[in-house]
Amino acid sequence: MIRFGVIGTNWITDRFLQAVKDMNDFLLTAVYSRNSDRAHEFAKKYQVNHIFTSIEEMAVSDQLDAVYIASPNSFHADQAITLLNHGKHVLCEKPFASNAAEVELMIAAAKRNDVLLMEAMRTTFHPNFTLIGGNLHKLGKIRRYAASYCQYSSRYDTYKAGTILNAFNPVFSNGSLMDLGVYCIYPMVVLFGQPKEVKATCVMLDSGVDGEGSLLVKYDEMEGVIMHSKITNSSLPSEIQGEEGTMIIDHMPAPGHIEIRYLDGRKEVISTMQKGDGMYDEARAFVDLIKQGKKESSINSYRNSYVTATILDAAREEMGLIFPADNHRKPC
């Protein structure tokens, strides 16, 4: 039995806990929130007795083995490093951190303390994502990866009414690229590795974060085209285009239907039915790694998380998007 604490009392933590509710080796024992009232309310909801408003106190507690971090992006690095330094395994929501320098510090802390650290990018543990990678050879030489994630934020109306919530506040290292674009970038890195060049543009909001944007990334013999938005919707699927066929993916963050259309007109559906929430798959993988004594995922590896962070950094530099967190971090 792996005893878990959670950091964050928002909808994503609720979704995570619902996804793992039937996992017989996952036990929720602790809740952290900066707000004591919210911590107590959330803990009561899940019948948890151990409540923390101090990361340091949570880190030294003997009531938990691992922590799921779902706090605002700008808090990820400091919270993870504190927990790792006290021997706690850490599953940290995407994006891993505000920038690549913070990711380096997190990875160094995990290695130094011989504990597991993994980015909670659920897409790459999805059964259908495994099928994407396993069927790429059918496309011939790959020439383009085109991924889109554009979802109108429920908080954008509030923003337009004059209230800036966390989702559009650069203090929390947020914005369309960090919150949604990463869902297209991370799978690209897992499938194709590190690109040679990154170009990016965006629509910048008055609050100082991007509302939407696009990336063009260059590989040796192919390119990646990524579109992301929190201020518009899109129903466009994603594609991987090869010289012998194109793979059409209905929704890259959570692939449900995947079809290959070949040059000769043939069509082949390669997707399978997904059971439950994709967050279960990432949690299952994380718990299994702990039980096996492993300190790094081969899928959401340190390398994949770091390369993704460097792409986010390069894109933000092109976009002119600077977070407060960028000014006080230096790599190891």
Side-chain angles (χ1 to χ4, degrees), residues 100-133:
E102 289 188 342
V103 171
E104 283 192 270
L105 293 171
M106 293 164 68
I107 293 170
K111 291 180 176 179
R112 185 171 62 247
N113 294 284
D114 197 31
V115 287
L116 173 63
L117 169 67
M118 191 181 88
E119 188 164 3
M121 171 56 71
R122 68 181 188 272
T123 303
T124 46
F125 290 104
H126 198 294
N128 279 334
F129 184 80
T130 302
L131 292 173
I132 290 172

Side-chain angles (χ1 to χ4, degrees), residues 22 105 145 188 214 223 248 256 273 284 288 315:
D22 296 325
L105 293 171
Y145 167 93
M188 179 185 71
S214 302
E223 66 177 7
I248 301 173
M273 182 68 71
R284 179 72 270 162
D288 286 346

Side-chain angles (χ1 to χ4, degrees), residues 151-220:
Q151 180 174 295
Y152 189 92
S153 172
S154 60
R155 297 168 177 83
Y156 188 49
D157 288 338
T158 303
Y159 174 87
K160 289 191 291 184
T163 300
I164 301 175
L165 301 177
N166 289 5
F168 294 102
N169 189 339
V171 169
F172 299 106
S173 303
N174 281 327
S176 178
L177 174 69
M178 300 292 281
D179 293 344
L180 299 186
V182 67
Y183 278 110
C184 299
I185 296 170
Y186 202 111
M188 179 185 71
V189 171
V190 173
L191 293 172
F192 304 110
Q194 184 169 15
K196 303 294 184 182
E197 185 179 351
V198 177
K199 297 293 184 182
T201 187
C202 75
V203 171
M204 194 73 74
L205 302 178
D206 291 340
S207 66
V209 302
D210 57 317
E212 66 90 45
S214 302
L215 281 74
L216 180 63
V217 299
K218 181 73 172 66
Y219 288 85
D220 283 335

Side-chain angles (χ1 to χ4, degrees), residues 7 36 85 187 192 200 280:
I7 293 178
S36 179
N85 282 340
F192 304 110
Y280 173 88

